[in-house]
Amino acid sequence: MGIAVALEKDRASQPGIEALVSLVSADMERVNEMILSRTGSDVMMIPEVANHLISSGGKRLRPMLTLASASLCDYAGDGHIKLAASVEFMHTATLLHDDVVDESDMRRGKLAARKVWGNEASVLVGDFLLGQAFRMMVEVGSLPALEVLSTAAAVIAEGEVMQLSAARTVATGEEEYLAVIRAKTATLFAAACEVGPILAGDDPADRAACRDFGMNLGVAFQLIDDALDYGGVAATLGKNVGDDFREGKLTLPVVLSLQRADAAGREFWRRVLEEGQNDDESLARAIAMMKESGVLAETVARARQYGAAAKQALDRYPDSPLKQALLDTVDFCISRAH
């Protein structure tokens, strides 16, 4: 199965999310204004570093999910604006920190902030954004929403440490890896979706449905990213193909490859992960092995299963343009692998 990605420069034109973009556009304008105002600082490097990443063309999917989940549950206030901005700041902070930990050179098709301003500035501006995110959460005045997002921040950090522990070893299994991506990636999707119904009235069934939608969507999203690292195109990925491979990350395609490999294949992966033999020739061999064994297609199939679970989580809601837009968003996340 060929794995490629087709991301448009303008997120409003991306197949599958244009309806969601349209439905939350008025609120997203307010979120974007909030983001710009809260990145301001008398310390000039802070807005420079923050806006380098914030303005670089990200889809803003997570804050859109916050807005959509609030609307899905008939919220009529304006607290969702600050919470959506908080979610985007949390996401941006993790990207700044991740690029330092992973020693990444590119992010969203541009030089990573750490390559322009250095590791120290990237970490500290990420900390600034987290601080601003929590200030906005407090201003909204919802303790349950603050609990969900603050817990997510801690779990994301735990996921990062779990990933460090799992890197560069052939001992990590599938369940351990799924625990990493639930913590590192899917938790923020889940939190972004759960705070909407909290604001709308804190109905436990709504919270559970929106949280499950976000969690399953987040896992599906990450699994597609895993596959694309070995079968995507650099110009459209926004990063270098094989970055996970070079960083020694144990992603699901690698876990599945190890499960299906013969003795020579397992020795190859041991040299790659534990000895750092990850040059271009080794990457080409890894991609060939994955395609031959079908693990990229299997990874996409797993993502589809999680996507189906995300859709099922919305069954309690009546049909509406917004519900359909969220279902289409799941399809978009999966279709990046077409």
Side-chain angles (χ1 to χ4, degrees), residues 81-101:
I81 303 299
K82 285 184 177 179
L83 292 187
S86 297
V87 166
E88 182 65 9
F89 274 16
M90 289 174 66
H91 178 54
T92 303
T94 62
L95 296 183
L96 288 168
H97 291 163
D98 282 357
D99 286 345
V100 172
V101 172

PDB file of all heavy atoms in Angstrom, residues 81-101:
ATOM      1  N   ILE A  81     -13.377  30.150  24.117  1.00  0.00           N
ATOM      2  CA  ILE A  81     -12.357  30.866  23.334  1.00  0.00           C
ATOM      3  C   ILE A  81     -11.009  30.784  24.046  1.00  0.00           C
ATOM      4  O   ILE A  81      -9.989  30.413  23.449  1.00  0.00           O
ATOM      5  CB  ILE A  81     -12.763  32.335  23.113  1.00  0.00           C
ATOM      6  CG1 ILE A  81     -14.129  32.423  22.427  1.00  0.00           C
ATOM      7  CG2 ILE A  81     -11.688  33.067  22.326  1.00  0.00           C
ATOM      8  CD1 ILE A  81     -14.189  31.784  21.063  1.00  0.00           C
ATOM      9  N   LYS A  82     -11.004  31.106  25.335  1.00  0.00           N
ATOM     10  CA  LYS A  82      -9.751  31.062  26.085  1.00  0.00           C
ATOM     11  C   LYS A  82      -9.252  29.633  26.265  1.00  0.00           C
ATOM     12  O   LYS A  82      -8.040  29.384  26.230  1.00  0.00           O
ATOM     13  CB  LYS A  82      -9.918  31.740  27.447  1.00  0.00           C
ATOM     14  CG  LYS A  82      -9.972  33.255  27.351  1.00  0.00           C
ATOM     15  CD  LYS A  82     -10.052  33.900  28.730  1.00  0.00           C
ATOM     16  CE  LYS A  82     -10.029  35.427  28.601  1.00  0.00           C
ATOM     17  NZ  LYS A  82     -10.139  36.096  29.915  1.00  0.00           N
ATOM     18  N   LEU A  83     -10.167  28.689  26.432  1.00  0.00           N
ATOM     19  CA  LEU A  83      -9.724  27.300  26.576  1.00  0.00           C
ATOM     20  C   LEU A  83      -9.154  26.772  25.268  1.00  0.00           C
ATOM     21  O   LEU A  83      -8.167  26.016  25.275  1.00  0.00           O
ATOM     22  CB  LEU A  83     -10.870  26.413  27.054  1.00  0.00           C
ATOM     23  CG  LEU A  83     -11.353  26.657  28.481  1.00  0.00           C
ATOM     24  CD1 LEU A  83     -12.379  25.603  28.880  1.00  0.00           C
ATOM     25  CD2 LEU A  83     -10.192  26.674  29.475  1.00  0.00           C
ATOM     26  N   ALA A  84      -9.741  27.163  24.142  1.00  0.00           N
ATOM     27  CA  ALA A  84      -9.189  26.758  22.849  1.00  0.00           C
ATOM     28  C   ALA A  84      -7.799  27.341  22.644  1.00  0.00           C
ATOM     29  O   ALA A  84      -6.888  26.653  22.156  1.00  0.00           O
ATOM     30  CB  ALA A  84     -10.122  27.180  21.724  1.00  0.00           C
ATOM     31  N   ALA A  85      -7.621  28.601  23.014  1.00  0.00           N
ATOM     32  CA  ALA A  85      -6.292  29.214  22.918  1.00  0.00           C
ATOM     33  C   ALA A  85      -5.313  28.520  23.859  1.00  0.00           C
ATOM     34  O   ALA A  85      -4.135  28.312  23.520  1.00  0.00           O
ATOM     35  CB  ALA A  85      -6.379  30.703  23.239  1.00  0.00           C
ATOM     36  N   SER A  86      -5.791  28.146  25.035  1.00  0.00           N
ATOM     37  CA  SER A  86      -4.933  27.420  25.983  1.00  0.00           C
ATOM     38  C   SER A  86      -4.467  26.099  25.397  1.00  0.00           C
ATOM     39  O   SER A  86      -3.293  25.725  25.526  1.00  0.00           O
ATOM     40  CB  SER A  86      -5.700  27.152  27.291  1.00  0.00           C
ATOM     41  OG  SER A  86      -6.058  28.346  27.936  1.00  0.00           O
ATOM     42  N   VAL A  87      -5.381  25.383  24.747  1.00  0.00           N
ATOM     43  CA  VAL A  87      -5.042  24.108  24.129  1.00  0.00           C
ATOM     44  C   VAL A  87      -3.980  24.305  23.050  1.00  0.00           C
ATOM     45  O   VAL A  87      -3.015  23.525  22.963  1.00  0.00           O
ATOM     46  CB  VAL A  87      -6.310  23.453  23.537  1.00  0.00           C
ATOM     47  CG1 VAL A  87      -5.951  22.314  22.594  1.00  0.00           C
ATOM     48  CG2 VAL A  87      -7.207  22.936  24.660  1.00  0.00           C
ATOM     49  N   GLU A  88      -4.126  25.340  22.239  1.00  0.00           N
ATOM     50  CA  GLU A  88      -3.131  25.594  21.192  1.00  0.00           C
ATOM     51  C   GLU A  88      -1.784  25.965  21.790  1.00  0.00           C
ATOM     52  O   GLU A  88      -0.732  25.543  21.295  1.00  0.00           O
ATOM     53  CB  GLU A  88      -3.614  26.699  20.252  1.00  0.00           C
ATOM     54  CG  GLU A  88      -2.673  26.992  19.096  1.00  0.00           C
ATOM     55  CD  GLU A  88      -2.512  25.827  18.110  1.00  0.00           C
ATOM     56  OE1 GLU A  88      -3.273  24.829  18.213  1.00  0.00           O
ATOM     57  OE2 GLU A  88      -1.620  25.926  17.247  1.00  0.00           O
ATOM     58  N   PHE A  89      -1.781  26.737  22.871  1.00  0.00           N
ATOM     59  CA  PHE A  89      -0.516  27.082  23.530  1.00  0.00           C
ATOM     60  C   PHE A  89       0.142  25.840  24.117  1.00  0.00           C
ATOM     61  O   PHE A  89       1.371  25.696  24.063  1.00  0.00           O
ATOM     62  CB  PHE A  89      -0.763  28.117  24.629  1.00  0.00           C
ATOM     63  CG  PHE A  89      -0.747  29.541  24.134  1.00  0.00           C
ATOM     64  CD1 PHE A  89      -0.859  29.839  22.788  1.00  0.00           C
ATOM     65  CD2 PHE A  89      -0.617  30.596  25.023  1.00  0.00           C
ATOM     66  CE1 PHE A  89      -0.840  31.148  22.331  1.00  0.00           C
ATOM     67  CE2 PHE A  89      -0.591  31.910  24.581  1.00  0.00           C
ATOM     68  CZ  PHE A  89      -0.711  32.182  23.233  1.00  0.00           C
ATOM     69  N   MET A  90      -0.655  24.956  24.715  1.00  0.00           N
ATOM     70  CA  MET A  90      -0.086  23.718  25.239  1.00  0.00           C
ATOM     71  C   MET A  90       0.547  22.909  24.118  1.00  0.00           C
ATOM     72  O   MET A  90       1.661  22.384  24.266  1.00  0.00           O
ATOM     73  CB  MET A  90      -1.168  22.895  25.941  1.00  0.00           C
ATOM     74  CG  MET A  90      -1.651  23.468  27.256  1.00  0.00           C
ATOM     75  SD  MET A  90      -3.053  22.535  27.953  1.00  0.00           S
ATOM     76  CE  MET A  90      -2.281  20.951  28.315  1.00  0.00           C
ATOM     77  N   HIS A  91      -0.154  22.808  23.003  1.00  0.00           N
ATOM     78  CA  HIS A  91       0.374  22.052  21.871  1.00  0.00           C
ATOM     79  C   HIS A  91       1.659  22.677  21.342  1.00  0.00           C
ATOM     80  O   HIS A  91       2.652  21.977  21.091  1.00  0.00           O
ATOM     81  CB  HIS A  91      -0.683  21.993  20.775  1.00  0.00           C
ATOM     82  CG  HIS A  91      -0.240  21.282  19.535  1.00  0.00           C
ATOM     83  ND1 HIS A  91       0.277  20.005  19.548  1.00  0.00           N
ATOM     84  CD2 HIS A  91      -0.227  21.678  18.225  1.00  0.00           C
ATOM     85  CE1 HIS A  91       0.584  19.637  18.318  1.00  0.00           C
ATOM     86  NE2 HIS A  91       0.291  20.628  17.502  1.00  0.00           N
ATOM     87  N   THR A  92       1.664  23.993  21.186  1.00  0.00           N
ATOM     88  CA  THR A  92       2.849  24.678  20.672  1.00  0.00           C
ATOM     89  C   THR A  92       4.029  24.505  21.614  1.00  0.00           C
ATOM     90  O   THR A  92       5.167  24.287  21.176  1.00  0.00           O
ATOM     91  CB  THR A  92       2.552  26.174  20.470  1.00  0.00           C
ATOM     92  OG1 THR A  92       1.430  26.315  19.596  1.00  0.00           O
ATOM     93  CG2 THR A  92       3.747  26.891  19.862  1.00  0.00           C
ATOM     94  N   ALA A  93       3.769  24.578  22.915  1.00  0.00           N
ATOM     95  CA  ALA A  93       4.841  24.395  23.900  1.00  0.00           C
ATOM     96  C   ALA A  93       5.452  23.005  23.785  1.00  0.00           C
ATOM     97  O   ALA A  93       6.682  22.842  23.834  1.00  0.00           O
ATOM     98  CB  ALA A  93       4.310  24.626  25.310  1.00  0.00           C
ATOM     99  N   THR A  94       4.605  21.989  23.612  1.00  0.00           N
ATOM    100  CA  THR A  94       5.142  20.635  23.500  1.00  0.00           C
ATOM    101  C   THR A  94       5.966  20.482  22.225  1.00  0.00           C
ATOM    102  O   THR A  94       6.980  19.767  22.228  1.00  0.00           O
ATOM    103  CB  THR A  94       4.024  19.576  23.518  1.00  0.00           C
ATOM    104  OG1 THR A  94       3.149  19.759  22.407  1.00  0.00           O
ATOM    105  CG2 THR A  94       3.233  19.645  24.806  1.00  0.00           C
ATOM    106  N   LEU A  95       5.569  21.155  21.149  1.00  0.00           N
ATOM    107  CA  LEU A  95       6.354  21.079  19.914  1.00  0.00           C
ATOM    108  C   LEU A  95       7.723  21.724  20.106  1.00  0.00           C
ATOM    109  O   LEU A  95       8.742  21.189  19.645  1.00  0.00           O
ATOM    110  CB  LEU A  95       5.611  21.759  18.763  1.00  0.00           C
ATOM    111  CG  LEU A  95       4.275  21.148  18.328  1.00  0.00           C
ATOM    112  CD1 LEU A  95       3.705  21.905  17.135  1.00  0.00           C
ATOM    113  CD2 LEU A  95       4.425  19.667  17.995  1.00  0.00           C
ATOM    114  N   LEU A  96       7.758  22.881  20.753  1.00  0.00           N
ATOM    115  CA  LEU A  96       9.038  23.544  21.014  1.00  0.00           C
ATOM    116  C   LEU A  96       9.942  22.650  21.860  1.00  0.00           C
ATOM    117  O   LEU A  96      11.145  22.518  21.597  1.00  0.00           O
ATOM    118  CB  LEU A  96       8.803  24.885  21.717  1.00  0.00           C
ATOM    119  CG  LEU A  96       8.210  25.999  20.845  1.00  0.00           C
ATOM    120  CD1 LEU A  96       7.752  27.165  21.720  1.00  0.00           C
ATOM    121  CD2 LEU A  96       9.235  26.493  19.813  1.00  0.00           C
ATOM    122  N   HIS A  97       9.375  22.048  22.883  1.00  0.00           N
ATOM    123  CA  HIS A  97      10.161  21.170  23.749  1.00  0.00           C
ATOM    124  C   HIS A  97      10.574  19.893  23.018  1.00  0.00           C
ATOM    125  O   HIS A  97      11.714  19.434  23.143  1.00  0.00           O
ATOM    126  CB  HIS A  97       9.351  20.816  24.998  1.00  0.00           C
ATOM    127  CG  HIS A  97       9.151  21.974  25.930  1.00  0.00           C
ATOM    128  ND1 HIS A  97       8.195  21.974  26.915  1.00  0.00           N
ATOM    129  CD2 HIS A  97       9.768  23.175  26.010  1.00  0.00           C
ATOM    130  CE1 HIS A  97       8.250  23.114  27.582  1.00  0.00           C
ATOM    131  NE2 HIS A  97       9.198  23.861  27.049  1.00  0.00           N
ATOM    132  N   ASP A  98       9.643  19.310  22.251  1.00  0.00           N
ATOM    133  CA  ASP A  98       9.944  18.075  21.515  1.00  0.00           C
ATOM    134  C   ASP A  98      11.121  18.260  20.568  1.00  0.00           C
ATOM    135  O   ASP A  98      11.976  17.370  20.442  1.00  0.00           O
ATOM    136  CB  ASP A  98       8.732  17.621  20.694  1.00  0.00           C
ATOM    137  CG  ASP A  98       7.679  16.930  21.536  1.00  0.00           C
ATOM    138  OD1 ASP A  98       7.914  16.755  22.744  1.00  0.00           O
ATOM    139  OD2 ASP A  98       6.624  16.578  20.985  1.00  0.00           O
ATOM    140  N   ASP A  99      11.148  19.386  19.873  1.00  0.00           N
ATOM    141  CA  ASP A  99      12.207  19.603  18.895  1.00  0.00           C
ATOM    142  C   ASP A  99      13.579  19.669  19.559  1.00  0.00           C
ATOM    143  O   ASP A  99      14.591  19.280  18.964  1.00  0.00           O
ATOM    144  CB  ASP A  99      11.944  20.885  18.092  1.00  0.00           C
ATOM    145  CG  ASP A  99      10.822  20.701  17.074  1.00  0.00           C
ATOM    146  OD1 ASP A  99      10.460  19.547  16.797  1.00  0.00           O
ATOM    147  OD2 ASP A  99      10.319  21.723  16.555  1.00  0.00           O
ATOM    148  N   VAL A 100      13.615  20.165  20.787  1.00  0.00           N
ATOM    149  CA  VAL A 100      14.879  20.186  21.531  1.00  0.00           C
ATOM    150  C   VAL A 100      15.267  18.769  21.946  1.00  0.00           C
ATOM    151  O   VAL A 100      16.402  18.325  21.736  1.00  0.00           O
ATOM    152  CB  VAL A 100      14.767  21.103  22.768  1.00  0.00           C
ATOM    153  CG1 VAL A 100      16.008  20.970  23.653  1.00  0.00           C
ATOM    154  CG2 VAL A 100      14.579  22.554  22.335  1.00  0.00           C
ATOM    155  N   VAL A 101      14.301  18.034  22.513  1.00  0.00           N
ATOM    156  CA  VAL A 101      14.576  16.667  22.966  1.00  0.00           C
ATOM    157  C   VAL A 101      15.000  15.787  21.790  1.00  0.00           C
ATOM    158  O   VAL A 101      15.941  14.986  21.893  1.00  0.00           O
ATOM    159  CB  VAL A 101      13.333  16.078  23.655  1.00  0.00           C
ATOM    160  CG1 VAL A 101      13.525  14.593  23.951  1.00  0.00           C
ATOM    161  CG2 VAL A 101      13.033  16.831  24.951  1.00  0.00           C
TER     162      VAL A 101
END
